[in-house]
Amino acid sequence: MSIGKWSDAESLPLNLRNFLITIFLENSFRIHFYFNQQRFIDRLASTSNPPHPCLLNAVYLLACYFTTLDHRPAYWLGEHEAVFLSRAQIALMDSLALSDRLMDFIQASSMVAAYLVHRGRYLEGYHVHCGTARFALSCGMDRINKHDVSSFAREPGPSYTQQLVLLPEPEDTIELGDRLLSFWHIYWHDKVFSVVLGFLPALPHDDTIDSVFPRELEEYESVESSLASNAAFHQIGLEEAAKTRKELHNITKNFLSSLPPIQSPQLPTSSPVDLALASAHAVASCALLELSDTSLVGSEPQANSDRVAYASSIASSVLFFGDGYECQDVWIVTGYSWCLAAHVLAEYIRRLRSHGGGAEASSPAIGFLPGPSGSPSARGNRPPSATECEDLLSRLLNALNIASTAHQPLAHHIQRVYQSLGDLKLE
C-alpha cells in the first residue's frame, strides 16, 4: 500500500490518519504500551487539547513498524518509518521548547525509544530512554503513591513543587492512570536496557520508587470516588512486593509451579500455545537462577543441583523452537535465559570433568522442563551426566548463534558465553 504525496502535506488526510491510528491501537500491546484509548480518540476531535504532533507522529511511526511484523495486517508501510521518525523527533523538540503538552512528550519519547530498540538501534534507543526516564522523574511520576487525584492538591509536600511546575495536576482518574501506565512502561524499558543490553539503569534504585502499580484500565473510567474510597485495594510498591531475595524466590517458584505442563505431540512445535509455555518456563527458571545464592554452590550440594536442574530446563526449551526460530519476539528474552543456562552448564561440566565424571553414560532423555511441583523432573533424583550437559550446551550455542543474527545484544552475550568456556571443549 502506498500513502502517496502525504509527505508534502502538513498533516495526514483524515482517512489515512484514522487508518494508521487503528493499526497502532490494535497492536500497541506489542511494545507493552497501554493507555486509555478512548480518551486519546476523543482528543483527536478536541480543539482545546488535541494530541501533540510528537505523539501523533510516534503513533504513525509504530503503526508503520507493526505492519512489518509477523501476523501483520495486509499492508506493508515499513518504507515510511524514516519520515515519521524524523517528524516525531522534530515535534519532540518543539514540545520541549514551548513546554507544550509535556505528558504527550513523555509518552511519545517512550514510544520512540521502544521503536528504536525493536529496530536494533540500541544506542539511539538508550539515549532517548535515558532522557525520557530522567524527565519523568523530574515530573514526579515515580512518586504517585495513591490512586487518588485529590491527593495531588491535598498533600503537595516539598517534593511536588517540581512536579506541579512541569506537569499540571491530573484532571481525573483516567489521566492519573495514564501517568502511572506511562511510568511503568518507562520502568519496564529501563530493566530491559539493564538486563538484556547491559546498560546502566536511568532510574534510581527500586527502593526509592513510591509509585503504585497501575490498575485495570476500565477501573480508571469508573466514578473517581469509588477508586479513591476502595478500601479493599492494597497500595503496593516494589519495596513491599519483594522485601527479600528469598521471598521473591518463593514467589517465582510458585509461579513456575502454576504453569501448565507442555504436552506437545512432536518437537519442534509450531503451536503458539506450546511456544509461549516453553518461553514462560524458561524465563521463570532463569529468574530462579538469577535469584539463587551462588555462594552456596560450593558448600551445599542441593544449591548446585537446583542451579543445574533449572539450567537444564531452560536448555530444553530450545527443543521446542527447532532450527527455524520463527518467533523473533521471544528471542531477546528467551535468548538471555539461554545464555545464563549456558554459563551454568559449562561450569557444571567443568566441575564434573575435574572429578572424573566426563565419561559417564549418556541418557536418551535430553530436555527436562519443570514438572507440576515447580522443580525439574523426568530423570528423578539422578543428576545429569557430563555428556547430557554437553549435548544441551551444544544445542544452546547453536540456537544462540542463529538468534544473535537477528538481535545484536545476543551477540554480546554469546561472546561472553564463549569467553567463559575458555579451553572447555565439547565432545
Side-chain angles (χ1 to χ4, degrees):
M1 175 181 179
S2 176
I3 296 183
K5 298 293 185 180
W6 52 264
S7 57
D8 298 330
E10 247 179 62
S11 58
L12 296 181
L14 188 61
N15 60 337
L16 182 54
R17 182 202 71 175
N18 293 341
F19 174 70
L20 292 176
I21 289 175
T22 299
I23 294 176
F24 172 79
L25 295 181
E26 292 176 350
N27 293 273
S28 60
F29 69 92
R30 293 179 180 270
I31 60 167
H32 304 281
F33 186 83
Y34 302 97
F35 68 125
N36 191 285
Q37 296 187 359
Q38 188 57 50
R39 173 63 59 87
F40 175 77
I41 293 173
D42 293 342
R43 288 182 62 196
L44 294 172
S46 172
T47 56
S48 59
N49 184 34
H52 193 278
C54 67
L55 183 57
L56 287 175
N57 281 286
V59 167
Y60 303 153
L61 168 66
L62 283 163
C64 292
Y65 165 70
F66 290 143
T67 66
T68 67
L69 301 179
D70 295 335
H71 312 296
R72 60 181 180 267
Y75 308 99
W76 177 279
L77 303 176
E79 66 269 25
H80 304 293
E81 292 175 22
V83 173
F84 287 125
L85 176 61
S86 176
R87 288 186 175 185
Q89 291 171 327
I90 293 173
L92 285 169
M93 297 303 296
D94 292 342
S95 173
L96 278 183
L98 301 174
S99 297
D100 184 14
R101 288 163 281 185
L102 293 179
M103 191 59 220
D104 288 357
F105 167 84
I106 292 173
Q107 290 180 314
S109 294
S110 187
M111 290 159 59
V112 169
Y115 165 78
L116 292 170
V117 170
H118 281 77
R119 274 297 180 216
R121 299 164 65 171
Y122 304 112
L123 285 178
E124 293 174 85
Y126 178 64
H127 173 75
V128 175
H129 163 74
C130 285
T132 308
R134 303 307 295 182
F135 191 82
L137 294 177
S138 298
C139 293
M141 293 177 67
D142 61 321
R143 301 190 299 271
I144 307 176
N145 56 12
K146 292 184 178 180
H147 289 279
D148 185 359
V149 175
S150 62
S151 66
F152 281 77
R154 186 174 63 250
E155 304 172 4
S159 62
Y160 277 107
T161 304
Q162 287 183 317
Q163 179 202 12
L164 294 175
V165 171
L166 293 176
L167 284 180
E169 298 176 13
E171 295 182 356
D172 52 28
T173 53
I174 292 178
E175 190 172 331
L176 177 63
D178 280 351
R179 291 191 188 185
L180 283 169
L181 289 162
S182 296
F183 173 75
W184 288 109
H185 182 253
I186 293 170
Y187 176 89
W188 177 79
H189 262 129
D190 201 54
K191 295 305 180 185
V192 169
F193 276 113
S194 298
V195 175
V196 180
L197 301 179
F199 291 118
L200 290 175
L203 294 177
H205 193 274
D206 292 347
D207 293 348
T208 66
I209 296 176
D210 295 327
S211 286
V212 294
F213 292 135
R215 305 183 72 173
E216 295 293 332
L217 281 166
E218 294 77 11
E219 296 186 52
Y220 291 110
E221 297 174 354
S222 61
V223 180
E224 181 178 331
S225 58
S226 65
L227 258 176
S229 61
N230 186 359
F233 179 74
H234 179 57
Q235 305 292 348
I236 185 170
L238 290 178
E239 180 70 11
E240 186 178 358
K243 293 179 180 179
T244 66
R245 174 186 288 186
K246 185 176 180 180
E247 289 176 353
L248 189 54
H249 184 280
N250 291 337
I251 291 171
T252 307
K253 192 170 183 178
N254 289 338
F255 167 75
L256 183 58
S257 66
S258 70
L259 293 175
I262 304 174
Q263 299 176 342
S264 180
Q266 59 180 3
L267 297 178
T269 178
S270 60
S271 166
V273 174
D274 286 343
L275 292 175
L277 280 176
S279 299
H281 278 284
V283 172
S285 296
C286 176
L288 290 172
L289 274 181
E290 289 281 21
L291 291 167
S292 63
D293 190 348
T294 55
S295 64
L296 300 177
V297 171
S299 58
E300 295 189 12
Q302 187 58 45
N304 181 55
S305 297
D306 288 345
R307 283 176 58 81
V308 174
Y310 286 119
S312 300
S313 299
I314 295 170
S316 69
S317 67
V318 173
L319 300 175
F320 286 82
F321 292 90
D323 295 330
Y325 306 103
E326 298 175 352
C327 298
Q328 299 184 16
D329 290 344
V330 302
W331 276 353
I332 200 165
V333 176
T334 309
Y336 175 79
S337 303
W338 293 346
C339 287
L340 182 58
H343 283 290
V344 174
L345 291 174
E347 174 188 323
Y348 181 66
I349 292 171
R350 188 174 281 108
R351 184 180 295 110
L352 282 179
R353 288 183 178 178
S354 67
H355 290 82
E360 291 183 28
S362 174
S363 167
I366 297 297
F368 307 95
L369 287 172
S373 64
S375 300
S377 59
R379 64 165 78 83
N381 295 323
R382 182 180 65 81
S385 68
T387 307
E388 289 173 337
C389 288
E390 289 169 10
D391 186 81
L392 287 172
L393 184 55
S394 296
R395 291 174 182 271
L396 282 173
L397 295 176
N398 181 60
L400 287 169
N401 285 329
I402 296 174
S404 64
T405 60
H407 287 286
Q408 192 60 32
L410 291 183
H412 167 70
H413 284 292
I414 194 172
Q415 182 180 10
R416 293 176 59 187
V417 170
Y418 279 111
Q419 289 173 350
S420 70
L421 290 178
D423 58 353
L424 182 66
K425 296 185 182 300
L426 301 180
E427 298 176 358

